[in-house]
Amino acid sequence: MMENFAVIDLGSNSVRMTISKVGGDGTYQTMTQMKEYVRLSENMGVEKILQPDAIERTIKALREFKEVYSKLDNLKIKAVATAAVRQAANQKQFLKKVKSEIGIDLNVISGSQEAYYDYVGVSETLPATNGVIIDTGGASAEIILVQNGKVSNLISIPIGSVTLSSKFDLSNEVSAAELFKAVIFVNKIYSNVWWLRNGLNLPIIGLGGSNRTLAKINRRFNNLLDTDDIHGYQLRNSDVNDTFQRIISKNLEERKEVPGISKDRADIIVGGLIPVILLMNFLDSDRITFSTSGLREGILFERLHEIIKENVKDMSEEELL
């Protein structure tokens, strides 16, 4: 019997939903994809408190998602929340509000779970035998070192597009001093991740909204058709650095006009690209491959494996009867 499997991923910047029709043999077809920019981590401050406006925007988006999935039969929902909710001092109250107003249990996953799902989503859809995966979100970045087709190390670091942009005032005019501070800050974090140097010279796989934007800017710049078709798209490190240089020389209004940057992301794109730019330099990596497959797809593949296992078990029980 076909199952409608909905994955909701509540990040710090956006909330996304993918609904797939899943067959008993582990095949699937993506039916619906929705995304809303909710900026949940906006103005959380050092107290790490989710703000009323951000909460309302999030509830509104979840309500719109519900209108879509509530029409489906044989529905299974897996809803996860990442860095913003993970760090929030008022996490319990927020989860309660979502439960009472929307009726879903939001599962707050750890940074390492998030990183692992990213790995599953990437490795099922791209050749990733040896490489370093980076998923830059709104409030965190997940980094996964893959060696010989297996995860050898992973980490979630609280450096994201929203957090870095606000900490170093990078949303409008980018001052040399603030950019320098941001670079020193992120490089220091990288230096403290002892295993990261094992990724020296390995190719990088980038996912998350900021990294996807980097790919889109380059596809538009090179007049490639179908800007959004970036899964497996590659860029040399020189192209990546040139793009970053073009972006940091612009103010907010000018960045909004750059083809490939959505207006909702123009104020956080500088902070959002710092982690990948510095990682490529830190590891002296010569290229980056982009993936549109990550956390949500990782959760979907996990479900597909479960279904296949259940069916194998049912078949072997039938044989016993």
Side-chain angles (χ1 to χ4, degrees):
M1 185 175 173
M2 292 297 257
E3 171 181 286
N4 283 299
F5 185 55
V7 182
I8 296 172
D9 159 23
L10 174 56
S12 314
N13 187 39
S14 61
V15 57
R16 295 160 188 267
M17 176 173 72
T18 305
I19 301 174
S20 307
K21 259 202 184 336
V22 175
D25 54 354
T27 53
Y28 73 96
Q29 190 186 356
T30 304
M31 306 306 288
T32 310
Q33 290 197 323
M34 292 175 76
K35 171 178 80 171
E36 292 291 338
Y37 286 108
V38 292
R39 290 283 167 99
L40 185 56
S41 62
E42 195 167 68
N43 302 325
M44 280 176 81
V46 282
E47 299 85 21
K48 295 285 178 222
I49 293 169
L50 298 171
Q51 297 301 308
D53 285 358
I55 291 173
E56 278 317 309
R57 288 194 297 268
T58 305
I59 295 286
K60 181 175 178 283
L62 289 172
R63 201 167 275 131
E64 285 167 16
F65 289 1
K66 185 177 183 171
E67 279 175 22
V68 175
Y69 67 67
S70 57
K71 296 186 175 84
L72 303 171
D73 52 1
N74 200 20
L75 173 72
K76 186 178 171 70
I77 299 175
K78 172 115 182 192
V80 299
T82 56
V85 184
R86 200 156 56 222
Q87 298 163 9
N90 53 342
Q91 182 195 101
K92 274 202 175 72
Q93 297 92 308
F94 173 70
L95 295 178
K96 230 183 209 156
K97 189 175 171 68
V98 170
K99 176 73 174 170
S100 70
E101 296 200 20
I102 309 295
I104 54 172
D105 290 303
L106 257 186
N107 180 11
V108 184
I109 57 173
S110 70
S112 41
Q113 271 177 303
E114 184 178 356
Y116 187 73
Y117 279 134
D118 279 336
Y119 161 73
V120 174
V122 169
S123 62
E124 291 268 357
T125 58
L126 280 176
T129 317
N130 293 287
V132 178
I133 299 169
I134 177 168
D135 175 7
T136 311
S140 70
E142 283 66 48
I143 299 176
I144 304 108
L145 174 63
V146 182
Q147 290 175 307
N148 303 320
K150 289 191 170 54
V151 173
S152 56
N153 300 89
L154 46 75
I155 192 170
S156 178
I157 315 171
I159 50 170
S161 55
V162 180
T163 33
L164 288 176
S165 298
S166 56
K167 186 178 171 73
F168 298 104
D169 195 16
L170 302 171
S171 55
N172 192 357
E173 298 273 355
V174 178
S175 87
E178 288 299 319
L179 185 62
F180 180 66
K181 275 192 231 168
V183 166
I184 296 291
F185 175 76
V186 174
N187 268 337
K188 194 170 174 163
I189 290 174
Y190 286 168
S191 304
N192 289 332
V193 181
W194 63 268
W195 48 263
L196 197 49
R197 291 188 194 280
N198 296 340
L200 211 62
N201 303 126
L202 288 183
I204 286 182
I205 296 173
L207 48 147
S210 297
N211 296 330
R212 283 196 296 269
T213 298
L214 177 62
K216 287 176 186 176
I217 294 166
N218 278 276
R219 287 184 74 86
R220 293 290 283 270
F221 190 67
N222 295 312
N223 294 319
L224 291 170
L225 294 168
D226 200 0
T227 320
D228 292 346
D229 183 20
I230 60 163
H231 193 65
Y233 180 56
Q234 290 195 344
L235 281 178
R236 291 192 307 270
N237 61 348
S238 53
D239 294 326
V240 171
N241 290 337
D242 288 350
T243 306
F244 189 59
Q245 225 168 316
R246 288 207 307 276
I247 292 172
I248 57 176
S249 64
K250 298 180 187 312
N251 65 24
L252 178 59
E253 288 312 310
E254 290 165 339
R255 284 201 297 274
K256 282 181 180 170
E257 300 309 314
V258 174
I261 300 182
S262 74
K263 296 202 175 10
D264 293 312
R265 201 175 276 283
D267 61 334
I268 53 169
I269 190 61
V270 176
L273 288 179
I274 286 174
V276 75
I277 300 289
L278 296 184
L279 187 66
M280 288 190 80
N281 284 303
F282 188 82
L283 297 179
D284 198 14
S285 183
D286 67 346
R287 68 182 187 280
I288 178 168
T289 304
F290 296 94
S291 173
T292 52
S293 183
L295 173 69
R296 285 184 314 289
E297 291 73 19
I299 292 171
L300 169 64
F301 288 119
E302 179 186 67
R303 179 69 191 133
L304 297 177
H305 296 315
E306 275 172 14
I307 287 173
I308 292 167
K309 257 194 200 143
E310 283 165 14
N311 283 351
V312 169
K313 190 169 160 275
D314 290 348
M315 280 158 71
S316 52
E317 278 173 0
E318 275 171 25
E319 281 166 15
L320 288 170
L321 292 170

